[in-house]
Amino acid sequence: MEAQGAIRAQVTTRIGTRAEQPRVPAHSYRRRTPASYDRTRARSWGSCTLACGIPLSLEALWVGKFVGISEQMRTDHLSTIEKDTNGEVLWVWCYPSTTAALRNLLLRKCCLTDENKLLHPFVFGQYRRTWFYITTIEVPDSSILKKVTHFSIVLTAKDFNPEKYAAFARILCRMYLKHGSPVKMMESYIAVLTKGICQSEENGSFLSKDFDARKAYLAGSIKDIVSQFGMETVILHTALMLKKRIVVYHPKIEAVQEFTRTLPALVWHRQDWTILHSYVHLNADELEALQMCTGYIAGFVDLEVSNRPDLYDVFVNLADSEITIAPLAKESMAMGKLHKEIGQLIVQSAEDPEKSDSQVIQDIALKTKEIFTNLAPFSEVSGDGGKLVLNLEALKQKRFPPATENFLYHLAAAEQMLKL
């Protein structure tokens, strides 16, 4: 009974409810049916559950497996959001649990709550070090979900891999369309968490190991970015090297996500996609989380962000193909001969029809390595812990052009190489 008591109810939440609910305990599963919801369908759920709300086929599995995956489930969870024939959008269920803040954010990101009624099949983003992936589909007439017009499958995880979670969500969507309950989805979800594999009901299997993180990093096209911005691409490269704040705007979220996910590849030596926040709203909680980051790439679909210079050092209007450096960032991002050389290399490499995107990234990475090699003679080991720090006097004695010296100084600051 203690194990059953630990598996408590996750609520169905009407959108628009502003009361903050307490964190729902892990191992939660029960559906509370609102008055307007389909009661026939609600009764059908009871046939596959115990009195405590645990699906019969999952009771032993959840109790037996939870200990081994509890650490992972601090970030990983699976949820479903539905839109019914009355136009109501409901947070239907969640496993194992989520916070009120994350639930509200996911409802914001889910296109079912969008007033413009545009359907976005797949969106992804990051919030406080948790990645979210939302797949939304329209329910066909042949589905068992007779009172539902659309639904979204929400996955959260600790890793960046849109292709992996989009593929997994497609399998879960097919299961939900066929069965109309979460039982099969839960079995597959837990199988992937514990074993990295689940069987598709149509054919074949889903294997987590098939989706390498490096493939996700290389999925975007650097050549497309250079084709759009030409020599101005060096502004983006410089901003990323100096760990500046980049804001990207386009009215279409798909364009924002495709562009922003590619930018970290310009600084491949870091292989750091934690700087990516591909889908941000002008919401106080989201902006607070964003501004806690030292440098970032943030994507917006609201042009109002252009009037928030406190949020960016570089603003990219993707719709108009314009890049603007904020006044306060112009001194640290002053361009000179070195930047012209970098820009020409990027453009020449990207325009070479014989080169792939990965080869262009490699060319940029080699140039980046050369920059750090040039910085090395002006670095010395500090007396407190052996950390490399910049010898500013040695840098000044070299008499680089002012823009080059300025860039190397700010690069050292970005790499935490300045003496405190």
mmCIF file with all atom_site columns, all heavy atoms in Angstrom, residues 210-226:
data_model
loop_
_atom_site.group_PDB
_atom_site.id
_atom_site.type_symbol
_atom_site.label_atom_id
_atom_site.label_alt_id
_atom_site.label_comp_id
_atom_site.label_asym_id
_atom_site.label_entity_id
_atom_site.label_seq_id
_atom_site.pdbx_PDB_ins_code
_atom_site.Cartn_x
_atom_site.Cartn_y
_atom_site.Cartn_z
_atom_site.occupancy
_atom_site.B_iso_or_equiv
_atom_site.pdbx_formal_charge
_atom_site.auth_seq_id
_atom_site.auth_comp_id
_atom_site.auth_asym_id
_atom_site.auth_atom_id
_atom_site.pdbx_PDB_model_num
ATOM 1   N N   . ASP A 1 210 ? 20.883 5.407  -31.823 1.00 0.00 ? 210 ASP A N   1
ATOM 2   C CA  . ASP A 1 210 ? 20.917 5.802  -33.227 1.00 0.00 ? 210 ASP A CA  1
ATOM 3   C C   . ASP A 1 210 ? 20.989 7.311  -33.411 1.00 0.00 ? 210 ASP A C   1
ATOM 4   O O   . ASP A 1 210 ? 21.203 7.791  -34.534 1.00 0.00 ? 210 ASP A O   1
ATOM 5   C CB  . ASP A 1 210 ? 19.669 5.275  -33.959 1.00 0.00 ? 210 ASP A CB  1
ATOM 6   C CG  . ASP A 1 210 ? 19.710 3.767  -34.175 1.00 0.00 ? 210 ASP A CG  1
ATOM 7   O OD1 . ASP A 1 210 ? 20.809 3.188  -34.058 1.00 0.00 ? 210 ASP A OD1 1
ATOM 8   O OD2 . ASP A 1 210 ? 18.651 3.180  -34.461 1.00 0.00 ? 210 ASP A OD2 1
ATOM 9   N N   . PHE A 1 211 ? 20.793 8.046  -32.331 1.00 0.00 ? 211 PHE A N   1
ATOM 10  C CA  . PHE A 1 211 ? 20.721 9.510  -32.417 1.00 0.00 ? 211 PHE A CA  1
ATOM 11  C C   . PHE A 1 211 ? 21.888 10.129 -31.647 1.00 0.00 ? 211 PHE A C   1
ATOM 12  O O   . PHE A 1 211 ? 21.755 10.535 -30.505 1.00 0.00 ? 211 PHE A O   1
ATOM 13  C CB  . PHE A 1 211 ? 19.382 10.012 -31.890 1.00 0.00 ? 211 PHE A CB  1
ATOM 14  C CG  . PHE A 1 211 ? 18.201 9.500  -32.664 1.00 0.00 ? 211 PHE A CG  1
ATOM 15  C CD1 . PHE A 1 211 ? 17.586 8.312  -32.315 1.00 0.00 ? 211 PHE A CD1 1
ATOM 16  C CD2 . PHE A 1 211 ? 17.720 10.203 -33.753 1.00 0.00 ? 211 PHE A CD2 1
ATOM 17  C CE1 . PHE A 1 211 ? 16.503 7.830  -33.033 1.00 0.00 ? 211 PHE A CE1 1
ATOM 18  C CE2 . PHE A 1 211 ? 16.643 9.735  -34.479 1.00 0.00 ? 211 PHE A CE2 1
ATOM 19  C CZ  . PHE A 1 211 ? 16.033 8.537  -34.121 1.00 0.00 ? 211 PHE A CZ  1
ATOM 20  N N   . ASP A 1 212 ? 23.027 10.194 -32.327 1.00 0.00 ? 212 ASP A N   1
ATOM 21  C CA  . ASP A 1 212 ? 24.241 10.727 -31.714 1.00 0.00 ? 212 ASP A CA  1
ATOM 22  C C   . ASP A 1 212 ? 24.128 12.243 -31.540 1.00 0.00 ? 212 ASP A C   1
ATOM 23  O O   . ASP A 1 212 ? 23.597 12.944 -32.410 1.00 0.00 ? 212 ASP A O   1
ATOM 24  C CB  . ASP A 1 212 ? 25.448 10.393 -32.589 1.00 0.00 ? 212 ASP A CB  1
ATOM 25  C CG  . ASP A 1 212 ? 26.748 10.868 -31.985 1.00 0.00 ? 212 ASP A CG  1
ATOM 26  O OD1 . ASP A 1 212 ? 27.179 10.273 -30.996 1.00 0.00 ? 212 ASP A OD1 1
ATOM 27  O OD2 . ASP A 1 212 ? 27.322 11.843 -32.506 1.00 0.00 ? 212 ASP A OD2 1
ATOM 28  N N   . ALA A 1 213 ? 24.620 12.748 -30.432 1.00 0.00 ? 213 ALA A N   1
ATOM 29  C CA  . ALA A 1 213 ? 24.532 14.183 -30.144 1.00 0.00 ? 213 ALA A CA  1
ATOM 30  C C   . ALA A 1 213 ? 25.244 15.017 -31.198 1.00 0.00 ? 213 ALA A C   1
ATOM 31  O O   . ALA A 1 213 ? 24.779 16.094 -31.581 1.00 0.00 ? 213 ALA A O   1
ATOM 32  C CB  . ALA A 1 213 ? 25.108 14.481 -28.763 1.00 0.00 ? 213 ALA A CB  1
ATOM 33  N N   . ARG A 1 214 ? 26.357 14.516 -31.705 1.00 0.00 ? 214 ARG A N   1
ATOM 34  C CA  . ARG A 1 214 ? 27.115 15.276 -32.704 1.00 0.00 ? 214 ARG A CA  1
ATOM 35  C C   . ARG A 1 214 ? 26.317 15.440 -33.996 1.00 0.00 ? 214 ARG A C   1
ATOM 36  O O   . ARG A 1 214 ? 26.434 16.452 -34.690 1.00 0.00 ? 214 ARG A O   1
ATOM 37  C CB  . ARG A 1 214 ? 28.454 14.592 -32.980 1.00 0.00 ? 214 ARG A CB  1
ATOM 38  C CG  . ARG A 1 214 ? 29.464 14.784 -31.849 1.00 0.00 ? 214 ARG A CG  1
ATOM 39  C CD  . ARG A 1 214 ? 30.663 13.877 -32.039 1.00 0.00 ? 214 ARG A CD  1
ATOM 40  N NE  . ARG A 1 214 ? 31.398 14.206 -33.258 1.00 0.00 ? 214 ARG A NE  1
ATOM 41  C CZ  . ARG A 1 214 ? 32.416 15.064 -33.313 1.00 0.00 ? 214 ARG A CZ  1
ATOM 42  N NH1 . ARG A 1 214 ? 32.812 15.688 -32.223 1.00 0.00 ? 214 ARG A NH1 1
ATOM 43  N NH2 . ARG A 1 214 ? 33.051 15.287 -34.435 1.00 0.00 ? 214 ARG A NH2 1
ATOM 44  N N   . LYS A 1 215 ? 25.491 14.446 -34.334 1.00 0.00 ? 215 LYS A N   1
ATOM 45  C CA  . LYS A 1 215 ? 24.630 14.571 -35.509 1.00 0.00 ? 215 LYS A CA  1
ATOM 46  C C   . LYS A 1 215 ? 23.609 15.685 -35.299 1.00 0.00 ? 215 LYS A C   1
ATOM 47  O O   . LYS A 1 215 ? 23.277 16.425 -36.237 1.00 0.00 ? 215 LYS A O   1
ATOM 48  C CB  . LYS A 1 215 ? 23.922 13.251 -35.793 1.00 0.00 ? 215 LYS A CB  1
ATOM 49  C CG  . LYS A 1 215 ? 24.835 12.145 -36.307 1.00 0.00 ? 215 LYS A CG  1
ATOM 50  C CD  . LYS A 1 215 ? 24.038 10.887 -36.623 1.00 0.00 ? 215 LYS A CD  1
ATOM 51  C CE  . LYS A 1 215 ? 24.948 9.780  -37.156 1.00 0.00 ? 215 LYS A CE  1
ATOM 52  N NZ  . LYS A 1 215 ? 24.169 8.544  -37.439 1.00 0.00 ? 215 LYS A NZ  1
ATOM 53  N N   . ALA A 1 216 ? 23.114 15.810 -34.077 1.00 0.00 ? 216 ALA A N   1
ATOM 54  C CA  . ALA A 1 216 ? 22.176 16.892 -33.770 1.00 0.00 ? 216 ALA A CA  1
ATOM 55  C C   . ALA A 1 216 ? 22.865 18.246 -33.892 1.00 0.00 ? 216 ALA A C   1
ATOM 56  O O   . ALA A 1 216 ? 22.271 19.213 -34.371 1.00 0.00 ? 216 ALA A O   1
ATOM 57  C CB  . ALA A 1 216 ? 21.605 16.709 -32.359 1.00 0.00 ? 216 ALA A CB  1
ATOM 58  N N   . TYR A 1 217 ? 24.128 18.305 -33.474 1.00 0.00 ? 217 TYR A N   1
ATOM 59  C CA  . TYR A 1 217 ? 24.883 19.554 -33.580 1.00 0.00 ? 217 TYR A CA  1
ATOM 60  C C   . TYR A 1 217 ? 25.090 19.971 -35.042 1.00 0.00 ? 217 TYR A C   1
ATOM 61  O O   . TYR A 1 217 ? 25.152 21.162 -35.357 1.00 0.00 ? 217 TYR A O   1
ATOM 62  C CB  . TYR A 1 217 ? 26.255 19.419 -32.919 1.00 0.00 ? 217 TYR A CB  1
ATOM 63  C CG  . TYR A 1 217 ? 26.236 19.171 -31.426 1.00 0.00 ? 217 TYR A CG  1
ATOM 64  C CD1 . TYR A 1 217 ? 27.361 18.683 -30.766 1.00 0.00 ? 217 TYR A CD1 1
ATOM 65  C CD2 . TYR A 1 217 ? 25.095 19.413 -30.665 1.00 0.00 ? 217 TYR A CD2 1
ATOM 66  C CE1 . TYR A 1 217 ? 27.357 18.477 -29.392 1.00 0.00 ? 217 TYR A CE1 1
ATOM 67  C CE2 . TYR A 1 217 ? 25.076 19.181 -29.298 1.00 0.00 ? 217 TYR A CE2 1
ATOM 68  C CZ  . TYR A 1 217 ? 26.208 18.717 -28.663 1.00 0.00 ? 217 TYR A CZ  1
ATOM 69  O OH  . TYR A 1 217 ? 26.203 18.493 -27.313 1.00 0.00 ? 217 TYR A OH  1
ATOM 70  N N   . LEU A 1 218 ? 25.199 18.986 -35.926 1.00 0.00 ? 218 LEU A N   1
ATOM 71  C CA  . LEU A 1 218 ? 25.508 19.250 -37.329 1.00 0.00 ? 218 LEU A CA  1
ATOM 72  C C   . LEU A 1 218 ? 24.272 19.264 -38.229 1.00 0.00 ? 218 LEU A C   1
ATOM 73  O O   . LEU A 1 218 ? 24.393 19.335 -39.452 1.00 0.00 ? 218 LEU A O   1
ATOM 74  C CB  . LEU A 1 218 ? 26.496 18.190 -37.848 1.00 0.00 ? 218 LEU A CB  1
ATOM 75  C CG  . LEU A 1 218 ? 27.901 18.221 -37.227 1.00 0.00 ? 218 LEU A CG  1
ATOM 76  C CD1 . LEU A 1 218 ? 28.674 16.969 -37.615 1.00 0.00 ? 218 LEU A CD1 1
ATOM 77  C CD2 . LEU A 1 218 ? 28.651 19.467 -37.679 1.00 0.00 ? 218 LEU A CD2 1
ATOM 78  N N   . ALA A 1 219 ? 23.090 19.199 -37.634 1.00 0.00 ? 219 ALA A N   1
ATOM 79  C CA  . ALA A 1 219 ? 21.865 19.073 -38.432 1.00 0.00 ? 219 ALA A CA  1
ATOM 80  C C   . ALA A 1 219 ? 21.514 20.350 -39.186 1.00 0.00 ? 219 ALA A C   1
ATOM 81  O O   . ALA A 1 219 ? 20.856 20.305 -40.224 1.00 0.00 ? 219 ALA A O   1
ATOM 82  C CB  . ALA A 1 219 ? 20.697 18.669 -37.538 1.00 0.00 ? 219 ALA A CB  1
ATOM 83  N N   . GLY A 1 220 ? 21.933 21.511 -38.678 1.00 0.00 ? 220 GLY A N   1
ATOM 84  C CA  . GLY A 1 220 ? 21.640 22.770 -39.352 1.00 0.00 ? 220 GLY A CA  1
ATOM 85  C C   . GLY A 1 220 ? 22.609 23.038 -40.492 1.00 0.00 ? 220 GLY A C   1
ATOM 86  O O   . GLY A 1 220 ? 23.559 22.287 -40.724 1.00 0.00 ? 220 GLY A O   1
ATOM 87  N N   . SER A 1 221 ? 22.367 24.134 -41.214 1.00 0.00 ? 221 SER A N   1
ATOM 88  C CA  . SER A 1 221 ? 23.202 24.464 -42.369 1.00 0.00 ? 221 SER A CA  1
ATOM 89  C C   . SER A 1 221 ? 23.900 25.810 -42.190 1.00 0.00 ? 221 SER A C   1
ATOM 90  O O   . SER A 1 221 ? 23.276 26.869 -42.273 1.00 0.00 ? 221 SER A O   1
ATOM 91  C CB  . SER A 1 221 ? 22.356 24.504 -43.648 1.00 0.00 ? 221 SER A CB  1
ATOM 92  O OG  . SER A 1 221 ? 23.140 24.936 -44.750 1.00 0.00 ? 221 SER A OG  1
ATOM 93  N N   . ILE A 1 222 ? 25.207 25.753 -41.955 1.00 0.00 ? 222 ILE A N   1
ATOM 94  C CA  . ILE A 1 222 ? 26.023 26.969 -41.904 1.00 0.00 ? 222 ILE A CA  1
ATOM 95  C C   . ILE A 1 222 ? 26.023 27.662 -43.269 1.00 0.00 ? 222 ILE A C   1
ATOM 96  O O   . ILE A 1 222 ? 26.006 28.896 -43.371 1.00 0.00 ? 222 ILE A O   1
ATOM 97  C CB  . ILE A 1 222 ? 27.467 26.621 -41.493 1.00 0.00 ? 222 ILE A CB  1
ATOM 98  C CG1 . ILE A 1 222 ? 27.532 26.242 -39.996 1.00 0.00 ? 222 ILE A CG1 1
ATOM 99  C CG2 . ILE A 1 222 ? 28.414 27.783 -41.771 1.00 0.00 ? 222 ILE A CG2 1
ATOM 100 C CD1 . ILE A 1 222 ? 27.351 27.401 -39.051 1.00 0.00 ? 222 ILE A CD1 1
ATOM 101 N N   . LYS A 1 223 ? 26.015 26.877 -44.316 1.00 0.00 ? 223 LYS A N   1
ATOM 102 C CA  . LYS A 1 223 ? 26.044 27.445 -45.670 1.00 0.00 ? 223 LYS A CA  1
ATOM 103 C C   . LYS A 1 223 ? 24.803 28.306 -45.937 1.00 0.00 ? 223 LYS A C   1
ATOM 104 O O   . LYS A 1 223 ? 24.889 29.337 -46.620 1.00 0.00 ? 223 LYS A O   1
ATOM 105 C CB  . LYS A 1 223 ? 26.155 26.318 -46.707 1.00 0.00 ? 223 LYS A CB  1
ATOM 106 C CG  . LYS A 1 223 ? 27.409 25.467 -46.556 1.00 0.00 ? 223 LYS A CG  1
ATOM 107 C CD  . LYS A 1 223 ? 27.592 24.483 -47.692 1.00 0.00 ? 223 LYS A CD  1
ATOM 108 C CE  . LYS A 1 223 ? 28.265 25.147 -48.871 1.00 0.00 ? 223 LYS A CE  1
ATOM 109 N NZ  . LYS A 1 223 ? 28.749 24.183 -49.883 1.00 0.00 ? 223 LYS A NZ  1
ATOM 110 N N   . ASP A 1 224 ? 23.662 27.898 -45.411 1.00 0.00 ? 224 ASP A N   1
ATOM 111 C CA  . ASP A 1 224 ? 22.445 28.695 -45.578 1.00 0.00 ? 224 ASP A CA  1
ATOM 112 C C   . ASP A 1 224 ? 22.564 30.042 -44.861 1.00 0.00 ? 224 ASP A C   1
ATOM 113 O O   . ASP A 1 224 ? 22.102 31.076 -45.358 1.00 0.00 ? 224 ASP A O   1
ATOM 114 C CB  . ASP A 1 224 ? 21.231 27.929 -45.048 1.00 0.00 ? 224 ASP A CB  1
ATOM 115 C CG  . ASP A 1 224 ? 20.806 26.815 -45.986 1.00 0.00 ? 224 ASP A CG  1
ATOM 116 O OD1 . ASP A 1 224 ? 21.316 26.762 -47.120 1.00 0.00 ? 224 ASP A OD1 1
ATOM 117 O OD2 . ASP A 1 224 ? 19.967 25.976 -45.577 1.00 0.00 ? 224 ASP A OD2 1
ATOM 118 N N   . ILE A 1 225 ? 23.182 30.022 -43.665 1.00 0.00 ? 225 ILE A N   1
ATOM 119 C CA  . ILE A 1 225 ? 23.366 31.269 -42.909 1.00 0.00 ? 225 ILE A CA  1
ATOM 120 C C   . ILE A 1 225 ? 24.272 32.217 -43.674 1.00 0.00 ? 225 ILE A C   1
ATOM 121 O O   . ILE A 1 225 ? 23.980 33.411 -43.810 1.00 0.00 ? 225 ILE A O   1
ATOM 122 C CB  . ILE A 1 225 ? 23.941 30.964 -41.505 1.00 0.00 ? 225 ILE A CB  1
ATOM 123 C CG1 . ILE A 1 225 ? 22.900 30.235 -40.652 1.00 0.00 ? 225 ILE A CG1 1
ATOM 124 C CG2 . ILE A 1 225 ? 24.394 32.258 -40.809 1.00 0.00 ? 225 ILE A CG2 1
ATOM 125 C CD1 . ILE A 1 225 ? 23.402 29.826 -39.286 1.00 0.00 ? 225 ILE A CD1 1
ATOM 126 N N   . VAL A 1 226 ? 25.377 31.684 -44.193 1.00 0.00 ? 226 VAL A N   1
ATOM 127 C CA  . VAL A 1 226 ? 26.316 32.521 -44.937 1.00 0.00 ? 226 VAL A CA  1
ATOM 128 C C   . VAL A 1 226 ? 25.680 33.018 -46.237 1.00 0.00 ? 226 VAL A C   1
ATOM 129 O O   . VAL A 1 226 ? 25.902 34.157 -46.650 1.00 0.00 ? 226 VAL A O   1
ATOM 130 C CB  . VAL A 1 226 ? 27.616 31.750 -45.233 1.00 0.00 ? 226 VAL A CB  1
ATOM 131 C CG1 . VAL A 1 226 ? 28.584 32.609 -46.047 1.00 0.00 ? 226 VAL A CG1 1
ATOM 132 C CG2 . VAL A 1 226 ? 28.278 31.308 -43.925 1.00 0.00 ? 226 VAL A CG2 1
#
